[in-house]
Amino acid sequence: MLTLPFRRWFLPLTLAVVATIGLVALASVWPFAWFLAAVAAALVMLGVYDIVQPGHSVLRNYPIAAHLRFLLEAIRPEIRQYFLEDDTQGTPFARRQRAVVYQRAKGQLDKVPFGTQLEVYDPAFEWLNHSIAAKQPASEPFRVRIGGPFCLKPYDASVFNISAMSFGALSANAIRALNKGARMGGFAHDTGEGGLSPYHREHGGDLIFEIGSGYFSCRDADGRFSAERFAALAALDQVKMIEIKISQGAKPGHGGVLPGAKVSPEIAATRGVTVGVDCISPPCHGAFSTPIEMMHFIALLRRLSGGKPVGFKLCIGQPWEFLAMCKAMLVTGIAPDFIVVDGTEGGTGAAPLEFVDHIGMPLRDGLSFVHNALVGIGLRDRIRIGAAGKITSAFDIARTMAIGAD
Ligand SMILES: Cc1cc2nc3c(=O)[nH]c(=O)nc-3n(C[C@H](O)[C@H](O)[C@H](O)COP(=O)(O)O)c2cc1C
């Protein structure tokens, strides 16, 4: 069976080769055909170059559309440097921020000349207060120690990390690239709930092993949590922390399905499921069903992992449900080492539109609530808070920390 990218370039390239040969044959009776043959041969060479070049996967996957895109980009008006013309969502401030992030990602100039050019009385205009007593930039990287009193192997995490995205939702190459980036930048790379694959391990970047309701990579034949399998993976030196996924912002409470057609032998081997059969993440966990049971599960994972930091990720829904977890922490004396708050605005591999747009608290509200609840029960100093949801710039990181994230 032809793979998708192969099908996309096979026809145009074959046509170009056939045209070249045909035009060369025609040239003996029609000399102008030499010129057309040269054009067709140039297209063949361009096609071969697109396939073998390692720089732009978009050229390999969508060769014709990609050339059109690069052409339009090359001739676009200069104004696009500061505002993406096809981006009309949100305030001018948000649009300019997105444009700067886009330019940075492309290695282009990310400085904006002439200072603030926006309406400062726009309700969405945000700022941080600077200090007159400015300091030299710190020379050492910012790191945050994660690990409460019952954690034997605390982890010093970067303030900037790679949030959970599963192997299955992402390809092997994407996982490799993220983990290599994590190693180079000193970040932690969250595996996502799709299990811990060989691709997560190739480059040796720090890992947060996420386990969701499907217990992928640590499940028994019936899909239940397997302590033995979990312990074997959690013992890897590369695994620095364990994260229980309760929910994610874009589809809280939804669970998920990886369609059977996408369950390849390597995805099946990583997850511990059957090739070609729909791979289901149930909407809720089977290993615990009450806040108190959840705290005991946290203690179990901490023990099985040899004392690594254990936390959980959620998007806040009903506030009293999180308060019930806080109460369970006080009743059992067991607390997570960290909590990741995801906003409803967070990304996803796939989710129904209604969930993406309308379910769960946005990050700022959820984060502020979690921070305040932990302060209120007196556990804020031993539980670190992470955050995710449209955090794309250093300003976003600073603002999120000001609201309560570590
Ligand atoms: C392709 C993709 C796959 C994801 N897979 C998971 C996952 O397996 N587990 C999880 O907790 N969150 C998952 N997420 C959500 C992210 O971890 C994160 O919470 C969200 O993307 C943050 O929002 P942002 O994309 O606006 O930064 C996924 C997101 C994307 C885009």
PDB file of all heavy atoms in Angstrom, residues 256-288:
ATOM      1  N   GLY A 256     -11.000   9.213  24.821  1.00  0.00           N
ATOM      2  CA  GLY A 256     -10.504   9.351  23.445  1.00  0.00           C
ATOM      3  C   GLY A 256     -10.465   8.019  22.724  1.00  0.00           C
ATOM      4  O   GLY A 256     -10.535   6.953  23.346  1.00  0.00           O
ATOM      5  N   VAL A 257     -10.378   8.096  21.394  1.00  0.00           N
ATOM      6  CA  VAL A 257     -10.290   6.888  20.571  1.00  0.00           C
ATOM      7  C   VAL A 257      -9.197   7.098  19.541  1.00  0.00           C
ATOM      8  O   VAL A 257      -9.176   8.119  18.848  1.00  0.00           O
ATOM      9  CB  VAL A 257     -11.604   6.629  19.796  1.00  0.00           C
ATOM     10  CG1 VAL A 257     -11.482   5.362  18.955  1.00  0.00           C
ATOM     11  CG2 VAL A 257     -12.782   6.532  20.720  1.00  0.00           C
ATOM     12  N   LEU A 258      -8.272   6.149  19.449  1.00  0.00           N
ATOM     13  CA  LEU A 258      -7.349   6.139  18.316  1.00  0.00           C
ATOM     14  C   LEU A 258      -7.918   5.082  17.370  1.00  0.00           C
ATOM     15  O   LEU A 258      -7.953   3.891  17.705  1.00  0.00           O
ATOM     16  CB  LEU A 258      -5.927   5.776  18.772  1.00  0.00           C
ATOM     17  CG  LEU A 258      -4.842   5.928  17.722  1.00  0.00           C
ATOM     18  CD1 LEU A 258      -4.658   7.390  17.334  1.00  0.00           C
ATOM     19  CD2 LEU A 258      -3.522   5.358  18.200  1.00  0.00           C
ATOM     20  N   PRO A 259      -8.424   5.515  16.171  1.00  0.00           N
ATOM     21  CA  PRO A 259      -9.098   4.556  15.289  1.00  0.00           C
ATOM     22  C   PRO A 259      -8.180   3.386  14.916  1.00  0.00           C
ATOM     23  O   PRO A 259      -6.970   3.567  14.762  1.00  0.00           O
ATOM     24  CB  PRO A 259      -9.436   5.393  14.054  1.00  0.00           C
ATOM     25  CG  PRO A 259      -9.320   6.821  14.489  1.00  0.00           C
ATOM     26  CD  PRO A 259      -8.343   6.853  15.614  1.00  0.00           C
ATOM     27  N   GLY A 260      -8.795   2.206  14.779  1.00  0.00           N
ATOM     28  CA  GLY A 260      -8.040   0.986  14.486  1.00  0.00           C
ATOM     29  C   GLY A 260      -7.062   1.145  13.326  1.00  0.00           C
ATOM     30  O   GLY A 260      -5.961   0.615  13.361  1.00  0.00           O
ATOM     31  N   ALA A 261      -7.461   1.911  12.294  1.00  0.00           N
ATOM     32  CA  ALA A 261      -6.593   2.070  11.119  1.00  0.00           C
ATOM     33  C   ALA A 261      -5.261   2.707  11.498  1.00  0.00           C
ATOM     34  O   ALA A 261      -4.262   2.534  10.794  1.00  0.00           O
ATOM     35  CB  ALA A 261      -7.302   2.933  10.081  1.00  0.00           C
ATOM     36  N   LYS A 262      -5.243   3.447  12.598  1.00  0.00           N
ATOM     37  CA  LYS A 262      -3.994   4.110  12.995  1.00  0.00           C
ATOM     38  C   LYS A 262      -3.205   3.297  14.016  1.00  0.00           C
ATOM     39  O   LYS A 262      -2.113   3.698  14.402  1.00  0.00           O
ATOM     40  CB  LYS A 262      -4.320   5.478  13.610  1.00  0.00           C
ATOM     41  CG  LYS A 262      -4.800   6.507  12.621  1.00  0.00           C
ATOM     42  CD  LYS A 262      -4.873   7.851  13.287  1.00  0.00           C
ATOM     43  CE  LYS A 262      -5.189   8.938  12.274  1.00  0.00           C
ATOM     44  NZ  LYS A 262      -5.290  10.238  12.930  1.00  0.00           N
ATOM     45  N   VAL A 263      -3.773   2.185  14.466  1.00  0.00           N
ATOM     46  CA  VAL A 263      -3.066   1.395  15.487  1.00  0.00           C
ATOM     47  C   VAL A 263      -2.090   0.446  14.779  1.00  0.00           C
ATOM     48  O   VAL A 263      -2.385  -0.714  14.488  1.00  0.00           O
ATOM     49  CB  VAL A 263      -4.052   0.638  16.405  1.00  0.00           C
ATOM     50  CG1 VAL A 263      -3.285  -0.094  17.502  1.00  0.00           C
ATOM     51  CG2 VAL A 263      -5.042   1.611  17.024  1.00  0.00           C
ATOM     52  N   SER A 264      -0.906   0.979  14.473  1.00  0.00           N
ATOM     53  CA  SER A 264       0.131   0.225  13.766  1.00  0.00           C
ATOM     54  C   SER A 264       0.795  -0.738  14.751  1.00  0.00           C
ATOM     55  O   SER A 264       0.613  -0.612  15.965  1.00  0.00           O
ATOM     56  CB  SER A 264       1.169   1.212  13.226  1.00  0.00           C
ATOM     57  OG  SER A 264       1.759   1.884  14.329  1.00  0.00           O
ATOM     58  N   PRO A 265       1.608  -1.673  14.234  1.00  0.00           N
ATOM     59  CA  PRO A 265       2.283  -2.610  15.158  1.00  0.00           C
ATOM     60  C   PRO A 265       3.121  -1.888  16.212  1.00  0.00           C
ATOM     61  O   PRO A 265       3.122  -2.281  17.374  1.00  0.00           O
ATOM     62  CB  PRO A 265       3.167  -3.443  14.221  1.00  0.00           C
ATOM     63  CG  PRO A 265       2.455  -3.392  12.911  1.00  0.00           C
ATOM     64  CD  PRO A 265       1.794  -2.055  12.829  1.00  0.00           C
ATOM     65  N   GLU A 266       3.812  -0.792  15.835  1.00  0.00           N
ATOM     66  CA  GLU A 266       4.663  -0.143  16.849  1.00  0.00           C
ATOM     67  C   GLU A 266       3.825   0.619  17.882  1.00  0.00           C
ATOM     68  O   GLU A 266       4.173   0.638  19.069  1.00  0.00           O
ATOM     69  CB  GLU A 266       5.719   0.765  16.213  1.00  0.00           C
ATOM     70  CG  GLU A 266       5.166   1.757  15.252  1.00  0.00           C
ATOM     71  CD  GLU A 266       6.266   2.586  14.584  1.00  0.00           C
ATOM     72  OE1 GLU A 266       7.450   2.360  14.873  1.00  0.00           O
ATOM     73  OE2 GLU A 266       5.909   3.458  13.791  1.00  0.00           O
ATOM     74  N   ILE A 267       2.692   1.230  17.449  1.00  0.00           N
ATOM     75  CA  ILE A 267       1.820   1.890  18.427  1.00  0.00           C
ATOM     76  C   ILE A 267       1.218   0.830  19.359  1.00  0.00           C
ATOM     77  O   ILE A 267       1.155   1.010  20.582  1.00  0.00           O
ATOM     78  CB  ILE A 267       0.716   2.702  17.718  1.00  0.00           C
ATOM     79  CG1 ILE A 267       1.347   3.943  17.070  1.00  0.00           C
ATOM     80  CG2 ILE A 267      -0.390   3.124  18.692  1.00  0.00           C
ATOM     81  CD1 ILE A 267       0.399   4.834  16.316  1.00  0.00           C
ATOM     82  N   ALA A 268       0.813  -0.304  18.768  1.00  0.00           N
ATOM     83  CA  ALA A 268       0.238  -1.380  19.587  1.00  0.00           C
ATOM     84  C   ALA A 268       1.257  -1.880  20.602  1.00  0.00           C
ATOM     85  O   ALA A 268       0.931  -2.090  21.777  1.00  0.00           O
ATOM     86  CB  ALA A 268      -0.228  -2.517  18.679  1.00  0.00           C
ATOM     87  N   ALA A 269       2.526  -2.048  20.157  1.00  0.00           N
ATOM     88  CA  ALA A 269       3.554  -2.548  21.084  1.00  0.00           C
ATOM     89  C   ALA A 269       3.795  -1.547  22.200  1.00  0.00           C
ATOM     90  O   ALA A 269       3.940  -1.918  23.367  1.00  0.00           O
ATOM     91  CB  ALA A 269       4.849  -2.817  20.314  1.00  0.00           C
ATOM     92  N   THR A 270       3.823  -0.243  21.865  1.00  0.00           N
ATOM     93  CA  THR A 270       4.060   0.779  22.895  1.00  0.00           C
ATOM     94  C   THR A 270       2.924   0.825  23.893  1.00  0.00           C
ATOM     95  O   THR A 270       3.136   0.887  25.102  1.00  0.00           O
ATOM     96  CB  THR A 270       4.204   2.169  22.215  1.00  0.00           C
ATOM     97  OG1 THR A 270       5.383   2.161  21.436  1.00  0.00           O
ATOM     98  CG2 THR A 270       4.272   3.280  23.245  1.00  0.00           C
ATOM     99  N   ARG A 271       1.696   0.771  23.382  1.00  0.00           N
ATOM    100  CA  ARG A 271       0.543   0.946  24.276  1.00  0.00           C
ATOM    101  C   ARG A 271       0.120  -0.323  24.993  1.00  0.00           C
ATOM    102  O   ARG A 271      -0.567  -0.268  26.006  1.00  0.00           O
ATOM    103  CB  ARG A 271      -0.662   1.481  23.478  1.00  0.00           C
ATOM    104  CG  ARG A 271      -0.418   2.856  22.904  1.00  0.00           C
ATOM    105  CD  ARG A 271      -1.691   3.510  22.398  1.00  0.00           C
ATOM    106  NE  ARG A 271      -1.423   4.876  21.978  1.00  0.00           N
ATOM    107  CZ  ARG A 271      -2.325   5.833  21.890  1.00  0.00           C
ATOM    108  NH1 ARG A 271      -3.576   5.588  22.178  1.00  0.00           N
ATOM    109  NH2 ARG A 271      -1.988   7.048  21.519  1.00  0.00           N
ATOM    110  N   GLY A 272       0.503  -1.501  24.388  1.00  0.00           N
ATOM    111  CA  GLY A 272       0.031  -2.758  24.975  1.00  0.00           C
ATOM    112  C   GLY A 272      -1.390  -3.058  24.540  1.00  0.00           C
ATOM    113  O   GLY A 272      -2.209  -3.524  25.333  1.00  0.00           O
ATOM    114  N   VAL A 273      -1.707  -2.762  23.246  1.00  0.00           N
ATOM    115  CA  VAL A 273      -3.050  -3.034  22.716  1.00  0.00           C
ATOM    116  C   VAL A 273      -2.923  -3.860  21.433  1.00  0.00           C
ATOM    117  O   VAL A 273      -1.805  -4.193  21.006  1.00  0.00           O
ATOM    118  CB  VAL A 273      -3.814  -1.713  22.428  1.00  0.00           C
ATOM    119  CG1 VAL A 273      -4.020  -0.921  23.709  1.00  0.00           C
ATOM    120  CG2 VAL A 273      -3.081  -0.852  21.398  1.00  0.00           C
ATOM    121  N   THR A 274      -4.057  -4.166  20.784  1.00  0.00           N
ATOM    122  CA  THR A 274      -4.045  -5.036  19.603  1.00  0.00           C
ATOM    123  C   THR A 274      -3.981  -4.214  18.314  1.00  0.00           C
ATOM    124  O   THR A 274      -4.703  -3.222  18.167  1.00  0.00           O
ATOM    125  CB  THR A 274      -5.342  -5.895  19.591  1.00  0.00           C
ATOM    126  OG1 THR A 274      -5.496  -6.465  20.882  1.00  0.00           O
ATOM    127  CG2 THR A 274      -5.273  -6.992  18.547  1.00  0.00           C
ATOM    128  N   VAL A 275      -3.132  -4.658  17.382  1.00  0.00           N
ATOM    129  CA  VAL A 275      -2.969  -3.963  16.093  1.00  0.00           C
ATOM    130  C   VAL A 275      -4.306  -3.897  15.363  1.00  0.00           C
ATOM    131  O   VAL A 275      -5.056  -4.871  15.304  1.00  0.00           O
ATOM    132  CB  VAL A 275      -1.958  -4.730  15.196  1.00  0.00           C
ATOM    133  CG1 VAL A 275      -1.753  -4.009  13.867  1.00  0.00           C
ATOM    134  CG2 VAL A 275      -0.638  -4.922  15.909  1.00  0.00           C
ATOM    135  N   GLY A 276      -4.609  -2.718  14.794  1.00  0.00           N
ATOM    136  CA  GLY A 276      -5.785  -2.570  13.925  1.00  0.00           C
ATOM    137  C   GLY A 276      -7.119  -2.461  14.647  1.00  0.00           C
ATOM    138  O   GLY A 276      -8.155  -2.284  14.018  1.00  0.00           O
ATOM    139  N   VAL A 277      -7.109  -2.554  15.970  1.00  0.00           N
ATOM    140  CA  VAL A 277      -8.375  -2.470  16.720  1.00  0.00           C
ATOM    141  C   VAL A 277      -8.456  -1.087  17.378  1.00  0.00           C
ATOM    142  O   VAL A 277      -7.454  -0.580  17.889  1.00  0.00           O
ATOM    143  CB  VAL A 277      -8.428  -3.565  17.822  1.00  0.00           C
ATOM    144  CG1 VAL A 277      -9.677  -3.423  18.689  1.00  0.00           C
ATOM    145  CG2 VAL A 277      -8.356  -4.939  17.178  1.00  0.00           C
ATOM    146  N   ASP A 278      -9.658  -0.445  17.347  1.00  0.00           N
ATOM    147  CA  ASP A 278      -9.823   0.880  17.981  1.00  0.00           C
ATOM    148  C   ASP A 278      -9.242   0.868  19.388  1.00  0.00           C
ATOM    149  O   ASP A 278      -9.506  -0.059  20.162  1.00  0.00           O
ATOM    150  CB  ASP A 278     -11.319   1.241  18.099  1.00  0.00           C
ATOM    151  CG  ASP A 278     -11.903   1.633  16.750  1.00  0.00           C
ATOM    152  OD1 ASP A 278     -11.142   1.693  15.771  1.00  0.00           O
ATOM    153  OD2 ASP A 278     -13.128   1.887  16.700  1.00  0.00           O
ATOM    154  N   CYS A 279      -8.454   1.900  19.694  1.00  0.00           N
ATOM    155  CA  CYS A 279      -7.787   1.948  20.997  1.00  0.00           C
ATOM    156  C   CYS A 279      -8.498   3.016  21.838  1.00  0.00           C
ATOM    157  O   CYS A 279      -8.463   4.197  21.525  1.00  0.00           O
ATOM    158  CB  CYS A 279      -6.318   2.301  20.749  1.00  0.00           C
ATOM    159  SG  CYS A 279      -5.399   2.499  22.228  1.00  0.00           S
ATOM    160  N   ILE A 280      -9.173   2.569  22.893  1.00  0.00           N
ATOM    161  CA  ILE A 280     -10.072   3.443  23.652  1.00  0.00           C
ATOM    162  C   ILE A 280      -9.420   3.929  24.945  1.00  0.00           C
ATOM    163  O   ILE A 280      -8.869   3.136  25.699  1.00  0.00           O
ATOM    164  CB  ILE A 280     -11.359   2.676  24.061  1.00  0.00           C
ATOM    165  CG1 ILE A 280     -11.904   1.868  22.885  1.00  0.00           C
ATOM    166  CG2 ILE A 280     -12.392   3.604  24.706  1.00  0.00           C
ATOM    167  CD1 ILE A 280     -12.859   2.531  21.994  1.00  0.00           C
ATOM    168  N   SER A 281      -9.503   5.246  25.196  1.00  0.00           N
ATOM    169  CA  SER A 281      -9.187   5.774  26.526  1.00  0.00           C
ATOM    170  C   SER A 281     -10.526   6.067  27.188  1.00  0.00           C
ATOM    171  O   SER A 281     -11.245   6.973  26.750  1.00  0.00           O
ATOM    172  CB  SER A 281      -8.422   7.097  26.441  1.00  0.00           C
ATOM    173  OG  SER A 281      -7.166   6.897  25.877  1.00  0.00           O
ATOM    174  N   PRO A 282     -10.882   5.329  28.238  1.00  0.00           N
ATOM    175  CA  PRO A 282     -12.194   5.580  28.868  1.00  0.00           C
ATOM    176  C   PRO A 282     -12.262   6.992  29.441  1.00  0.00           C
ATOM    177  O   PRO A 282     -11.220   7.597  29.717  1.00  0.00           O
ATOM    178  CB  PRO A 282     -12.255   4.534  29.991  1.00  0.00           C
ATOM    179  CG  PRO A 282     -11.159   3.568  29.734  1.00  0.00           C
ATOM    180  CD  PRO A 282     -10.131   4.261  28.902  1.00  0.00           C
ATOM    181  N   PRO A 283     -13.484   7.529  29.666  1.00  0.00           N
ATOM    182  CA  PRO A 283     -13.589   8.893  30.201  1.00  0.00           C
ATOM    183  C   PRO A 283     -13.073   9.022  31.632  1.00  0.00           C
ATOM    184  O   PRO A 283     -12.736  10.118  32.058  1.00  0.00           O
ATOM    185  CB  PRO A 283     -15.084   9.205  30.142  1.00  0.00           C
ATOM    186  CG  PRO A 283     -15.768   7.966  29.728  1.00  0.00           C
ATOM    187  CD  PRO A 283     -14.772   6.959  29.270  1.00  0.00           C
ATOM    188  N   CYS A 284     -13.040   7.915  32.386  1.00  0.00           N
ATOM    189  CA  CYS A 284     -12.529   8.052  33.765  1.00  0.00           C
ATOM    190  C   CYS A 284     -11.616   6.874  34.108  1.00  0.00           C
ATOM    191  O   CYS A 284     -11.549   5.885  33.381  1.00  0.00           O
ATOM    192  CB  CYS A 284     -13.681   8.144  34.752  1.00  0.00           C
ATOM    193  SG  CYS A 284     -14.740   6.703  34.688  1.00  0.00           S
ATOM    194  N   HIS A 285     -10.905   7.033  35.222  1.00  0.00           N
ATOM    195  CA  HIS A 285      -9.939   6.013  35.646  1.00  0.00           C
ATOM    196  C   HIS A 285     -10.620   4.794  36.261  1.00  0.00           C
ATOM    197  O   HIS A 285     -11.695   4.908  36.865  1.00  0.00           O
ATOM    198  CB  HIS A 285      -8.978   6.621  36.671  1.00  0.00           C
ATOM    199  CG  HIS A 285      -7.873   7.392  36.020  1.00  0.00           C
ATOM    200  ND1 HIS A 285      -6.632   6.846  35.774  1.00  0.00           N
ATOM    201  CD2 HIS A 285      -7.835   8.650  35.542  1.00  0.00           C
ATOM    202  CE1 HIS A 285      -5.875   7.757  35.181  1.00  0.00           C
ATOM    203  NE2 HIS A 285      -6.573   8.861  35.030  1.00  0.00           N
ATOM    204  N   GLY A 286      -9.973   3.626  36.117  1.00  0.00           N
ATOM    205  CA  GLY A 286     -10.470   2.413  36.764  1.00  0.00           C
ATOM    206  C   GLY A 286      -9.705   2.122  38.052  1.00  0.00           C
ATOM    207  O   GLY A 286     -10.173   1.366  38.899  1.00  0.00           O
ATOM    208  N   ALA A 287      -8.529   2.728  38.220  1.00  0.00           N
ATOM    209  CA  ALA A 287      -7.699   2.396  39.386  1.00  0.00           C
ATOM    210  C   ALA A 287      -8.167   3.116  40.649  1.00  0.00           C
ATOM    211  O   ALA A 287      -7.745   2.764  41.745  1.00  0.00           O
ATOM    212  CB  ALA A 287      -6.238   2.752  39.099  1.00  0.00           C
ATOM    213  N   PHE A 288      -9.003   4.132  40.505  1.00  0.00           N
ATOM    214  CA  PHE A 288      -9.553   4.835  41.679  1.00  0.00           C
ATOM    215  C   PHE A 288     -10.856   5.508  41.252  1.00  0.00           C
ATOM    216  O   PHE A 288     -11.045   5.794  40.061  1.00  0.00           O
ATOM    217  CB  PHE A 288      -8.561   5.887  42.218  1.00  0.00           C
ATOM    218  CG  PHE A 288      -8.100   6.869  41.186  1.00  0.00           C
ATOM    219  CD1 PHE A 288      -8.788   8.057  40.964  1.00  0.00           C
ATOM    220  CD2 PHE A 288      -6.976   6.610  40.404  1.00  0.00           C
ATOM    221  CE1 PHE A 288      -8.373   8.964  40.001  1.00  0.00           C
ATOM    222  CE2 PHE A 288      -6.553   7.506  39.431  1.00  0.00           C
ATOM    223  CZ  PHE A 288      -7.250   8.684  39.231  1.00  0.00           C
TER     224      PHE A 288
END
